[in-house]
């Protein structure tokens, strides 16, 4: 049983939880994720570890409410327990000094991006971070990103904060004005697809962190499989990060929708019992 | 070798056994027909998860045990991968000492309730039974009797907790709570070690829980065995991925002196044919894990599973049978097996195939998929198959399937389950560069001690064999325990 | 300075020397060296279905020796040839991808096939991996007596058709000369959509060891005299075909390259000579070609290509008979 120690609401949809998990906090590196199961009847879902405190023995998860499990999880309060948290899983981000790294996070993708930004900054890279969200209230972690980047550009779809436009607009502006040695993109699959096409055009090596459906998370079932460079790879053990230009994003989008109808049905049923509050 | 023969002879000559043998003429024994295992009605059982084999009734069991001739040279034992003292436990059943029979079984087999259900006895002990070999008659139903004894003991509430030796305070880590890990843990605990089992998933039992369906092996039975181990003092830790959550060095620092790796062959194989990544095409691991481990078929549980009306399972082994029979239970109108060789060559247990056919599974032998097609949402809706014919045997003895020209045709499907084998889980080999790995990804071990190329690491089960049976995993676990005991004893002596 | 640029099946090569499918072209390292030594294009070593079966067999045999690996109930063992096939094919595609990534030389994939079954997915993946073209070596042994001529020919067309409809990259067919009406077969393939034809396939030849009284294999490598048959057919066909011709077998020096091009070949394929003389020999052959072109005043290869091809409407048999008669009448 893993105790929830802190809870912070970033927006109506995005909630931060700090969870007691001493062993995971010790072994965790940027890029790792955990598999979480709330209770006996719950499903297993992957969540990127947004941060960890080895001294306190805690890990931080930033969760977007998109369905039954994420809602149940973010309805919990400090003092509540999560039944199962397994990790750290996946391959850690490969961090090296390359020069200028353009980091782009879309929506809640900014959360897993933060530890990666921290990692790249620590080894001496020049970091330009683009945070993209639909509107002002969906922009998260701005302060933390500013602390770890040399420059932060904020893009909102509706222009309510920062610049009006998509993440690709912000990225292209940077690419056009300075030399970018590498890019890291994390966000909804569609966002990563277009961001990847952009950096491919300019021949900038790009890493994407994929967020597929998972069941066990240890390489046992193949639910998370994707095509990278024509070969089948498992996101949970070969990833979650891959060379973005080799990823078949269309296939990934197709596979992400496999349970859409069931998920929606369950979500609507859940909302009838627990309407979105707070 | 002679020790064993002498021991068996000694046991055979015990008074109760000699009396028992005399109590019935051999002719009467061999005149009996093999007892029939009561089975649930196919028409109802293919819609639910009740166990198909209901277990022998008490009188049936005693009568069946009477068929055993208590041979001077018990060839049945030769057929058993772990050398269970078969004649003894059977005679104990005949003598109505059912608990005694269970105890005898547990001397060699840690999980008789499991093996009695899932072992391919027809290829092991029952194949070498005197009845099969010399009389050319149906063998003694050794498997059914094993199950009977184990179930009786459990149901009677008198389940014996094996005696645990004097605690020696030496910490042993078991990685993986499947059959290999459980067997090793049990033996090490009996020898007085301080055993901790680390499991990556949130339930213990490994393939026994996530792989084998309820209608073949109820999860409850596995839990009973695990409870007994807990009573023996074995510690179980779930959500521990050794190599990630804790490394081997972390464990060594914590004082663990030896390790058993039983992480299994959970890595699913696909065929890499066009369209295999369309939606609703699953590995059998994923499909069975959702249904067996996550209870996805039950609406009260959150994990979903997609199992449609026209389900095709590719493969011919036990896992394929498990998958297709599960699909039928989940409402498939057509639950099909697509297997590229003939019925005789299917690796699945004969009993499983028989049960499947009774449950209205369609078995399409000599067919192989070549491509999948999908609708506009990427959901598989059609499978193209090719007819095969059999050519020369390869060195496994199986005849090689050769495609027949122009034989392709399409089958409507909405779910496909790919069950063409598994390979060893690569996680632990990947975190231990010093560990010697074979070209098939299995951990190489000394076959007599199960010790790997790293002194304090032993291994067994599918991670060493690349996908085999439960009984072999159990045997490996026990062998490794003996090896580990010797290794640790010597290490402690030196220190 | 002569310009050796050549077009073959729509691909632009820096010169007309193509390295034939062989052990010289079975790895990225070797291909890189061939590029360094001046090769115009590469035909990747063929993938045989049999080879994969052999590999699977070997794996199985090894597995059986190990008392622990697999057992008869293992589904993995049951489908092991599928797993090995995928691994081998994976390696093949990796070579293509790496060549496309790190080198500039055009790469032509090669398949040896006896039937059209099972190759469809494979050819699509070859195209996806980035191969510039495909060479189909339709390997129906003409030494068996099961089929009529017609049936054998129909097989060729069927296989070709099936492959062609799956991909968009150019497809060449490498065939043997053993047809009743070779010219017609090639023209039919052209009608089916072939982008090139490679003359000819070479079969291993038998020889006899009279000392030990047994059958052996003849010299594996081609000898220069083997050029004659393909030279004849290139000359006969060049003006009757629109598709490109690759001349193979017996091209061992710059002179042979020139002869074939004069006869009408777009490119030549070489292998044996490089085994014998090393990959540096490519440069020798190119130098010879260049200096001959300079001497004769040709700036481009096209200027002398097909100069000696038979005219389209001249009668073959008359041509041949005249030459034959002339030959014998000239001997004193």
């Amino acid at each position: 049983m893993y105790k929830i120690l802190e809870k912070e609401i970033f927006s109506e949809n995005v909630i931060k939880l700090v969870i007691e998990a001493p062993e995971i906090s010790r072994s965790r590196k940027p890029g790792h994720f955990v598999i979480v199961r709330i209770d006996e009847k719950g499903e297993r879902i992957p969540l990127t570890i947004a941060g960890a405190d080895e001294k306190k023995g805690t890990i931080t998860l930033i969760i977007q409410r998109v369905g039954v499990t994420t809602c149940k999880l973010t309805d919990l309060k400090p003092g509540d327990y999560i039944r199962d948290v397994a990790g750290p899983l996946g391959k850690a981000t490969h961090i090296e000094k390359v020069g200028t790294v353009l980091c782009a996070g879309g929506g809640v993708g900014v959360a897993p991006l933060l530890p990666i930004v921290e990692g790249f900054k620590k080894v001496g890279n020049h970091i330009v971070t683009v945070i993209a969200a639909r509107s002002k209230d969906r922009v998260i972690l701005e302060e933390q990103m500013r602390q770890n980047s040399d420059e932060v550009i904020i893009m909102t779809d509706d222009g309510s904060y920062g610049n009006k436009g998509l993440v690709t607009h912000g990225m292209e502006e940077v690419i056009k004005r300075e030399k970018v040695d590498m890019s890291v993109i994390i966000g909804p699959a569609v966002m990563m697809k277009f961001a990847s096409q952009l950096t491919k055009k300019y021949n900038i090596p790009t890493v994407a962190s994929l967020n597929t459906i998972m069941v066990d998370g240890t390489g046992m079932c193949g639910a998370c499989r994707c095509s990278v460079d024509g070969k089948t790879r498992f996101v949970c053990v070969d990833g979650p990060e891959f060379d973005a230009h080799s990823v078949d994003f269309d296939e990934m989008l197709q596979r992400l929708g496999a349970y859409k109808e069931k998920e929606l049905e369950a979500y609507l049923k859940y909302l009838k019992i627990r309407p979105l509050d707070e | 070798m002679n020790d064993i023969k002498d021991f068996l002879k000694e046991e055979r000559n015990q008074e109760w056994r000699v009396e028992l043998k005399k109590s019935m003429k051999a002719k009467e024994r061999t005149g009996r027909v093999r007892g029939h295992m009561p089975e649930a009605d196919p028409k109802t059982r293919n819609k639910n998860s009740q166990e198909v084999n209901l277990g022998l009734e008490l009188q049936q069991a005693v009568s069946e045990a009477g068929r055993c001739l208590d041979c001077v040279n018990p060839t049945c034992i030769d057929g058993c991968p772990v050398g269970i003292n078969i004649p003894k436990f059977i005679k104990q059943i005949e003598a109505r000492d059912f608990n005694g029979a269970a105890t005898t079984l547990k001397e060699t087999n840690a999980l008789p309730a499991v093996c009695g259900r899932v072992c391919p006895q027809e290829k092991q002990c029952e194949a070498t039974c005197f009845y099969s070999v010399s009389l050319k008659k149906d063998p003694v139903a050794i498997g059914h009797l094993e199950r009977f004894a184990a179930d009786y003991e459990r149901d009677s509430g008198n389940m014996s907790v094996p005696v645990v030796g004097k605690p020696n305070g030496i910490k042993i880590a078991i990685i993986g709570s499947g059959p290999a890990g459980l067997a090793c843990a049990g033996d090490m605990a009996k020898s007085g070690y301080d055993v901790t089992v680390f499991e990556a998933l949130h339930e213990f039992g490994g393939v026994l829980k996530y792989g084998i369906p309820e209608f073949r092996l109820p999860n409850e039975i596995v839990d009973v065995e695990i409870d007994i181990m807990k009573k023996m003092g074995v510690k179980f830790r779930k959500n521990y991925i050794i190599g990630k959550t804790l490394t081997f060095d972390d464990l060594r620092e914590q004082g663990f002196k030896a390790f058993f790796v039983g992480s299994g062959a959970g890595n699913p194989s696909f065929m890499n044919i066009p369209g295999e990544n369309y939606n609703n095409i699953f590995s059998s691991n994923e499909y069975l894990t959702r249904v067996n481990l996550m209870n996805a078929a039950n609406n009260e549980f959150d994990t979903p599973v997609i199992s449609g009306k026209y389900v095709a399972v590719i493969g011919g082994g036990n896992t394929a049978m498990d998958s297709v029979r599960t699909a039928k239970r989940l409402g498939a109108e057509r639950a099909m097996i697509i297997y590229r060789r003939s019925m005789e060559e299917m690796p699945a247990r004969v009993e499983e195939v028989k049960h499947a056919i009774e449950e209205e599974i369609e078995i399409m032998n000599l067919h192989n998929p070549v491509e999948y097609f999908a609708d506009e949402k990427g959901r598989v809706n059609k499978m193209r198959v090719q007819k095969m014919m059999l050519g020369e045997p390869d060195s496994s003895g199986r005849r090689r399937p050769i495609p027949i020209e122009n034989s392709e045709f399409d089958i409507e499907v909405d779910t496909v389950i790919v069950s063409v084998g598994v390979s060893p889980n690569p996680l632990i080999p990947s975190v231990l560069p010093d560990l010697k790995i074979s070209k098939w990804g299995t951990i190489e071990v000394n076959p007599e001690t199960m010790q790997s190329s790293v002194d304090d690491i032993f291994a067994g089960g599918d991670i060493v064999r690349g996908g085999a049976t439960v009984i072999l995993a159990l045997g490996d676990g026990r062998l490794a325990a003996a090896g580990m005991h010797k290794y640790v004893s010597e290490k402690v002596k030196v220190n | 300075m002569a310009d050796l640029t050549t077009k073959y099946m729509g691909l632009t090569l820096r010169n007309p020397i193509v390295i034939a499918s062989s052990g010289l072209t079975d790895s990225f390292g070797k291909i890189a060296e061939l590029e360094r030594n001046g090769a115009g294009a590469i035909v990747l070593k063929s993938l045989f279905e049999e080879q994969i079966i052999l590999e699977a067999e070997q794996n199985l045999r090894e597995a059986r020796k190990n008392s622990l690996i697999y057992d008869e109930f293992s589904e993995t063992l049951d489908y092991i040839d599928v797993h090995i096939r995928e691994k081998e094919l994976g390696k093949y595609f990796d070579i293509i991808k790496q060549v496309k990534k790190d080198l500039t030389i055009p790469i032509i994939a090669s398949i040896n096939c006896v039937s059209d079954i099972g190759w469809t997915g494979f050819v699509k993946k070859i195209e996806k991996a980035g191969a510039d073209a495909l060479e189909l070596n339709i390997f129906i042994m003409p030494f068996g007596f099961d089929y009529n001529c017609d049936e054998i020919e129909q097989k060729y067309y069927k296989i070709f058709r099936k492959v062609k409809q799956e991909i968009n990259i150019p497809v060449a067919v490498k065939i043997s000369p053993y047809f009743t009406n070779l010219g017609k077969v090639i023209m039919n393939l052209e009608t089916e959509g072939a982008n090139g034809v490679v003359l000819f396939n070479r079969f291993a030849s038998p020889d006899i060891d009279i000392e030990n009284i047994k059958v052996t294999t003849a010299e594996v490598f081609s000898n220069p005299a083997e050029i004659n048959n393909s030279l004849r057919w290139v000359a006969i066909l060049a003006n009757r075909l629109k598709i490109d011709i690759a001349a193979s077998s017996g091209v061992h020096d710059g002179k042979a390259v020139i002869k074939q091009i004069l006869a009408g070949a777009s490119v030549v394929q070489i292998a044996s000579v490089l085994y014998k003389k090393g990959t540096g020999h490519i440069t020798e052959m190119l130098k010879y070609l260049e200096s001959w072109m300079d001497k004769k005043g040709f700036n481009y290869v096209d200027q002398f290509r097909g100069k000696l091809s038979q005219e389209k409407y001249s009668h073959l048999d008359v041509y041949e008979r005249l030459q034959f008669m002339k030959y014998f009448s000239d001997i004193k």
Side-chain angles (χ1 to χ4, degrees):
Chain A
M1 299 298 264
Y2 301 77
K3 192 170 178 189
I4 297 176
L5 300 174
E6 280 170 48
K7 177 176 177 180
E8 190 184 329
I9 297 170
F10 283 359
S11 72
E12 111 184 26
N13 238 332
V14 180
I15 283 121
K16 173 177 126 176
L17 291 178
V18 178
I19 298 168
E20 188 175 53
E23 274 137 349
I24 302 178
S25 75
R26 239 178 285 133
S27 326
R28 166 262 173 194
K29 294 194 176 56
H32 277 149
F33 66 94
V34 288
I35 292 272
V36 171
R37 189 176 82 130
I38 303 173
D39 55 37
E40 272 274 335
K41 304 209 164 127
E43 57 169 345
R44 292 168 65 97
I45 61 165
L47 291 165
T48 314
I49 305 174
D53 189 329
E54 200 181 316
K55 280 201 214 83
K56 292 191 188 149
T58 62
I59 59 172
T60 302
L61 305 177
I62 296 176
I63 305 148
Q64 184 174 32
R65 292 163 67 94
V66 291
V68 174
T69 306
T70 43
C71 283
K72 281 189 188 170
L73 184 57
T74 49
D75 282 345
L76 296 174
K77 296 178 295 300
D80 288 339
Y81 287 86
I82 299 172
R83 194 177 172 89
D84 297 296
V85 178
L89 297 168
K91 286 203 175 121
T93 310
H94 176 68
I95 296 186
E96 57 173 333
K97 181 159 181 218
V98 293
T100 299
V101 184
L102 174 59
C103 300
V108 76
V110 174
L113 188 61
L114 180 58
I116 297 174
V117 161
E118 286 170 352
F120 274 100
K121 182 88 184 101
K122 240 188 241 169
V123 298
N125 289 296
H126 177 80
I127 310 285
V128 179
T129 301
V130 178
I131 300 178
R134 257 187 249 158
S135 56
K136 178 172 182 186
D137 60 344
R138 289 180 191 241
V139 173
I140 58 171
L141 300 175
E142 182 187 346
E143 211 27 66
Q144 292 91 328
M145 279 302 191
R146 285 200 191 278
Q147 280 168 18
N148 287 283
S149 318
D150 296 285
E151 185 186 346
V152 172
I153 297 172
I154 300 185
M155 309 293 299
T156 46
D157 288 2
D158 61 2
S160 52
Y161 193 53
N163 306 327
K164 180 163 182 200
L166 301 169
V167 70
T168 38
H169 299 143
M171 288 172 74
E172 193 156 24
E173 212 191 280
V174 177
I175 295 170
K176 283 197 171 133
R177 69 162 198 231
E178 64 186 277
K179 177 171 182 281
V180 171
D181 298 290
M182 182 186 153
S183 180
V184 179
I185 57 179
I186 308 185
V190 156
M191 170 242 166
M192 290 194 285
K193 174 179 166 184
F194 288 108
S196 172
Q197 280 176 4
L198 174 69
T199 57
K200 188 164 185 178
K201 205 168 74 178
Y202 292 96
N203 273 319
I204 298 171
T206 303
V207 164
S209 181
L210 306 189
N211 55 343
T212 52
I213 293 173
M214 287 187 194
V215 183
D216 66 293
T218 58
M220 197 197 80
C221 76
C224 63
R225 65 189 189 277
C226 62
S227 293
V228 179
D229 209 16
K231 295 209 172 98
T232 297
R233 294 272 177 259
F234 290 179
V235 173
C236 65
V237 291
D238 301 314
E241 289 164 20
F242 295 98
D243 164 20
H245 299 158
S246 304
V247 172
D248 183 344
F249 282 103
D250 288 327
E251 183 188 84
M252 186 185 149
L253 276 155
Q254 166 224 296
R255 289 183 62 79
L256 273 170
Y259 294 88
K260 220 183 245 165
E261 279 157 26
K262 288 201 182 238
E263 284 168 354
L264 188 58
E265 202 185 297
Y267 191 35
L268 291 174
K269 208 168 105 185
Y270 173 79
L271 287 180
K272 281 205 193 93
I273 333 170
R274 281 298 307 267
L276 269 159
D277 52 18
E278 285 154 319
Chain B
M1 196 52 202
N2 276 325
D3 295 334
I4 300 177
K5 280 205 148 144
D6 289 340
F7 171 72
L8 289 174
K9 190 165 162 205
E10 204 183 291
E11 295 232 297
R12 243 185 115 250
N13 288 335
Q14 285 178 344
E15 206 186 311
W16 71 273
R17 221 149 132 183
V18 174
E19 287 303 313
L20 194 60
K21 179 144 185 178
K22 284 199 201 133
S23 71
M24 203 192 315
K25 281 196 167 32
K27 238 204 177 87
E28 191 190 329
R29 295 183 189 276
T30 59
R32 284 185 185 168
V33 170
R34 174 176 158 126
H36 177 74
M37 165 66 82
E39 292 169 0
D41 177 6
K43 288 196 186 55
T44 49
R45 77 181 193 227
N46 67 359
K47 296 176 179 54
N48 61 40
S49 60
Q50 60 168 154
E51 248 196 289
V52 173
N53 281 345
L54 302 172
L56 294 175
E57 302 279 341
L58 195 145
Q59 205 38 54
Q60 270 186 307
V62 173
S63 172
E64 181 65 25
R67 289 180 71 224
C68 168
L69 295 167
D70 204 353
C71 302
V72 175
N73 180 18
T75 48
C76 50
I77 303 182
D78 297 334
C80 175
V82 296
I84 293 174
N85 192 343
I86 297 172
K88 182 173 177 187
F89 95 80
I90 293 183
K91 290 298 121 187
Q92 281 171 306
I93 291 177
E94 189 186 349
R96 294 177 178 257
D97 177 10
F98 308 125
N99 286 324
T103 307
T104 302
L105 282 164
K106 286 184 179 174
E107 279 163 15
T108 9
N109 181 351
L111 307 173
V114 172
C115 290
R117 286 168 165 79
V118 307
C119 257
Q121 293 97 4
E122 69 275 14
K123 290 196 169 124
Q124 292 171 172
C125 51
E126 291 181 16
T128 52
C129 170
F130 180 72
Y131 275 81
S132 303
V133 174
S134 303
L135 300 179
K136 307 289 185 218
K137 280 180 162 185
D138 285 337
V140 175
I142 302 172
H144 297 159
L145 289 171
E146 180 180 22
R147 176 199 163 147
F148 171 81
D151 285 357
Y152 183 92
E153 199 206 24
R154 185 180 68 254
D155 292 338
S156 71
N158 279 340
M159 254 188 132
S160 57
V161 177
V163 176
V164 169
K166 180 155 166 261
N168 57 28
I170 300 174
K171 290 168 80 165
I172 302 292
I174 309 285
I175 293 137
S177 65
L182 292 177
C184 188
D187 273 13
M188 292 308 274
K190 274 189 221 164
S191 302
Y193 288 92
D194 176 356
V195 181
T196 307
V197 176
F198 295 96
E199 167 59 47
L201 294 174
H202 59 267
E203 292 238 6
F204 305 107
V207 72
L208 301 175
K209 278 270 182 76
Y210 75 72
I212 306 181
E214 283 293 285
F215 56 83
R216 270 221 292 149
L217 177 64
N219 282 352
E220 186 194 42
I221 292 184
V222 182
D223 285 332
V224 167
E225 300 295 345
I226 290 171
D227 274 339
I228 293 201
M229 284 204 199
K230 286 183 183 166
K231 289 197 178 105
M232 284 165 70
V234 176
K235 299 182 207 115
F236 284 84
R237 299 275 175 271
K238 58 176 177 158
N239 300 321
Y240 272 85
I241 302 110
I242 301 304
K244 291 279 207 205
T245 318
L246 289 171
T247 61
F248 280 87
D249 283 337
D250 288 335
L251 291 174
R252 286 185 186 107
E253 264 170 53
Q254 287 185 21
F256 286 91
K257 290 283 176 258
F259 306 88
F260 176 77
V261 175
S263 48
N267 198 352
S269 299
F270 289 93
M271 292 175 75
N272 281 316
I273 56 179
E276 215 175 26
N277 283 347
Y278 282 130
N279 293 355
N280 306 345
I281 299 181
F282 308 105
S283 71
S284 47
N285 272 3
E286 182 184 349
Y287 185 74
L288 292 173
T289 298
R290 283 181 185 268
V291 177
N292 296 334
L293 184 70
M294 310 300 297
N295 287 297
N298 185 332
N299 275 330
E300 286 179 37
F301 288 75
D302 291 344
T303 305
V305 69
I306 290 172
S307 193
K309 294 264 168 287
Y310 307 103
V311 183
V313 176
I314 320 297
N318 288 320
T319 316
M321 287 301 140
D322 287 344
S323 304
V324 78
R325 294 170 70 195
T326 300
K328 188 71 182 175
R329 284 159 171 76
L330 262 50
E333 269 172 38
R334 282 189 84 186
M336 303 168 267
I337 285 278
I338 313 288
Y339 180 62
R340 62 197 195 133
R341 288 187 239 245
S342 70
M343 190 75 103
E344 294 75 44
E345 284 149 320
M346 287 175 89
R349 289 191 64 196
V350 173
E351 184 182 73
E352 304 308 324
V353 177
K354 166 177 166 284
H355 285 164
I357 295 174
E358 285 166 0
E359 290 162 14
E360 293 173 5
I361 306 298
E362 288 174 56
I363 303 192
M364 298 175 72
N365 290 105
L366 297 169
H367 283 75
N368 204 33
V370 291
E371 192 170 350
Y372 301 104
F373 301 91
D375 64 15
E376 73 288 352
K377 289 197 181 146
R379 298 176 296 198
V380 69
N381 61 6
K382 211 167 56 168
M383 169 181 69
R384 182 157 294 166
V385 296
Q386 216 171 34
K387 291 208 184 118
M388 316 293 275
M389 59 185 184
L390 295 176
E392 290 304 303
D394 61 28
S395 43
S396 78
R398 287 202 188 86
R399 297 178 63 191
R400 185 172 302 123
I402 298 168
I404 298 178
E405 274 188 61
N406 288 331
S407 63
E408 289 127 30
F409 65 98
D410 295 344
I411 301 179
E412 184 188 347
V413 291
D414 54 15
T415 313
V416 177
I417 301 164
V418 182
S419 187
V420 298
V422 287
S423 52
N425 189 302
L427 204 152
I428 291 188
S430 74
V431 301
L432 291 173
D434 289 337
L435 197 61
K436 218 160 154 247
I437 307 294
S438 76
K439 69 196 281 188
W440 301 280
T442 57
I443 297 179
E444 286 188 6
V445 295
N446 173 329
E448 276 155 38
T449 60
M450 307 311 275
Q451 188 180 32
S452 75
S453 60
V454 177
D455 278 354
D456 58 358
I457 299 181
F458 291 71
D462 283 355
I463 192 76
V464 162
R465 295 174 176 275
T469 57
V470 167
I471 186 75
L472 288 169
L474 289 173
D476 288 350
R478 302 207 60 215
L479 206 55
M484 285 164 83
H485 178 53
K486 188 156 173 279
Y487 163 77
V488 173
S489 309
E490 273 161 22
K491 196 161 139 184
V492 164
K493 250 191 261 168
V494 170
N495 292 342
Chain C
M1 205 49 225
D3 176 355
L4 303 182
T5 314
T6 303
K7 273 204 153 321
Y8 177 51
M9 295 204 285
L11 307 172
T12 305
L13 280 54
R14 55 187 169 169
N15 63 58
I17 296 184
V18 175
I19 314 304
S21 165
S22 60
L24 297 162
T25 58
D26 66 0
S27 75
F28 174 77
K30 289 182 187 168
I31 295 172
E33 199 194 318
L34 290 164
E35 182 186 63
R36 266 197 301 276
N37 279 300
I42 304 285
V43 183
L44 200 53
K45 177 149 168 61
S46 289
L47 209 58
F48 292 71
E49 185 78 25
E50 285 78 14
Q51 181 188 325
I52 293 172
I53 294 177
L54 278 169
E55 176 88 27
E57 267 302 288
Q58 193 171 341
N59 235 282
L60 266 173
R61 250 176 276 130
E62 277 179 52
R64 288 175 79 74
K65 281 205 211 116
N66 184 326
S67 62
L68 292 172
I69 298 294
Y70 298 135
D71 74 4
E72 56 193 292
F73 312 113
S74 164
E75 276 152 324
T76 317
L77 195 67
D78 200 5
Y79 280 84
I80 198 169
D81 54 326
V82 171
H83 305 311
I84 288 173
R85 183 171 190 256
E86 287 314 307
K87 214 168 80 177
E88 290 303 307
L89 293 183
K91 284 194 222 158
Y92 198 75
F93 301 134
D94 283 344
I95 297 177
I96 298 176
K97 281 182 206 157
Q98 204 181 358
V99 168
K100 287 320 285 178
K101 189 161 150 269
D102 296 338
L103 306 175
T104 53
I105 192 167
I107 181 161
I108 303 169
S110 172
I111 306 176
N112 279 32
C113 48
V114 294
S115 75
D116 59 347
I117 295 169
W119 292 111
T120 352
F122 181 37
V123 300
K124 277 204 196 105
K125 286 184 186 173
I126 285 182
E127 185 179 45
K128 198 144 179 247
D132 296 295
L134 175 65
E135 184 175 283
L136 263 191
N137 196 341
I138 305 179
F139 204 63
I140 300 171
M141 294 292 267
F143 311 125
F145 304 113
D146 298 334
Y147 297 101
N148 288 326
C149 314
D150 207 36
E151 286 170 296
I152 294 181
E153 280 173 34
Q154 288 307 321
K155 267 180 182 277
Y156 275 77
Y157 306 140
K158 197 163 141 260
I159 292 172
F160 180 82
R161 231 175 272 143
K162 192 123 193 249
V163 169
K164 187 74 181 160
Q165 76 190 29
E166 295 296 330
I167 50 177
N168 297 318
I169 54 177
V171 184
V173 184
K174 188 170 186 181
I175 57 175
S176 77
Y178 303 110
F179 289 93
T180 310
N181 192 343
L182 176 64
K184 192 78 174 95
V185 170
I186 296 174
M187 284 180 204
N188 285 339
L189 284 167
E190 181 182 53
T191 313
E192 293 282 351
N195 303 94
V197 63
V198 184
L199 311 175
F200 290 107
N201 215 339
R202 239 179 124 252
F203 297 106
S205 301
D207 201 347
I208 291 177
D209 174 350
I210 61 172
E211 284 311 317
N212 295 308
I213 309 189
K214 64 171 188 177
V215 178
T216 60
T217 334
E219 159 84 53
V220 169
F221 300 130
S222 69
N223 66 63
E226 286 181 51
I227 197 179
N228 294 326
N229 204 22
S230 75
L231 193 61
R232 163 202 273 121
W233 280 99
V234 172
I236 291 173
L237 291 170
N239 280 332
R240 292 176 165 87
L241 297 174
K242 286 186 230 80
I243 62 177
D244 294 335
I245 303 176
S248 184
S249 288
V251 176
H252 284 215
D253 54 19
K255 207 187 263 184
V257 178
I258 296 164
K259 287 182 190 173
Q260 287 287 22
I261 299 180
L262 283 167
S266 301
V267 296
V268 298
Q269 288 197 5
I270 64 173
S272 296
V273 67
L274 298 186
Y275 276 112
K276 287 186 186 165
K277 298 196 176 161
T279 49
H281 195 69
I282 302 174
T283 326
E284 297 293 314
M285 295 168 75
L286 290 171
K287 270 204 210 123
Y288 190 97
L289 173 61
E290 271 169 359
S291 78
W292 179 86
M293 282 171 73
D294 288 340
K295 203 161 59 178
K296 300 293 175 188
F298 295 119
N299 293 326
Y300 303 104
V301 179
D302 280 344
Q303 286 173 326
F304 68 95
R305 173 173 286 115
K307 241 179 185 290
L308 298 181
S309 308
Q310 239 213 10
E311 282 311 312
K312 191 168 180 175
Y313 296 107
S314 68
H315 286 283
L316 275 111
D317 49 353
V318 176
Y319 178 79
E320 288 287 306
R321 242 185 294 136
L322 276 173
Q323 299 300 97
F324 188 69
M325 283 165 56
K326 201 164 166 286
Y327 174 69
F328 274 101
S329 66
D330 279 348
I331 298 173
K332 295 287 187 262

